[in-house]
Amino acid sequence: MKTKLALTFALLLPAFTALADDQANAAQTALLAASCANCHGTDGKLAGVIPAIANRPATALENQLMEFKHSDSTRTTVMPRIAKGYSDDELKALAQYFSRIGSAQQR
């Protein structure tokens, strides 16, 4: 019985670790997303001159963020300078985060 319990625990441990990692990543992404509120409003829902980014397709947001980061364009927006401060994985996570706001996928 003890062997069975130990084996079960050993097999479930990676799942618990992965769950903890997912929760930590979600918290880190939410923290990164908080800086976007300065211009895009709380949860990316600001309407006005600066576009709302909530509930937009993740691929569209990610493509735009990557263009800001990797393009040599001299646009008048501050976004290229901001995007360069994030890794590609962080930008992808932010795109997914904002795409879920206001949708059924939001957790």
Side-chain angles (χ1 to χ4, degrees):
M1 179 67 174
K2 286 183 182 181
T3 305
K4 223 180 208 183
L5 185 60
L7 180 59
T8 301
F9 181 73
L11 292 173
L12 290 177
L13 186 59
F16 290 128
T17 303
L19 179 61
D21 286 346
D22 287 346
Q23 289 173 342
N25 288 340
Q28 181 180 1
T29 301
L31 184 61
L32 291 174
S35 66
C36 302
N38 292 328
C39 299
H40 293 281
T42 304
D43 293 332
K45 296 178 182 177
L46 182 70
V49 177
I50 297 173
I53 54 177
N55 202 23
R56 290 194 52 218
T59 53
L61 289 171
E62 182 181 351
N63 288 341
Q64 185 67 61
L65 289 169
M66 293 301 174
E67 182 179 331
F68 283 137
K69 181 177 180 178
H70 297 292
S71 175
D72 290 332
S73 175
T74 56
R75 292 182 166 178
T76 58
T77 179
V78 71
M79 281 303 300
R81 289 178 281 173
I82 292 171
K84 285 177 180 24
Y86 293 92
S87 71
D88 288 357
D89 288 339
E90 289 170 333
L91 293 175
K92 182 176 182 174
L94 285 168
Q96 291 172 354
Y97 175 88
F98 282 106
S99 74
R100 292 183 183 123
I101 292 176
S103 73
Q105 294 176 340
Q106 186 179 16
R107 293 181 191 192

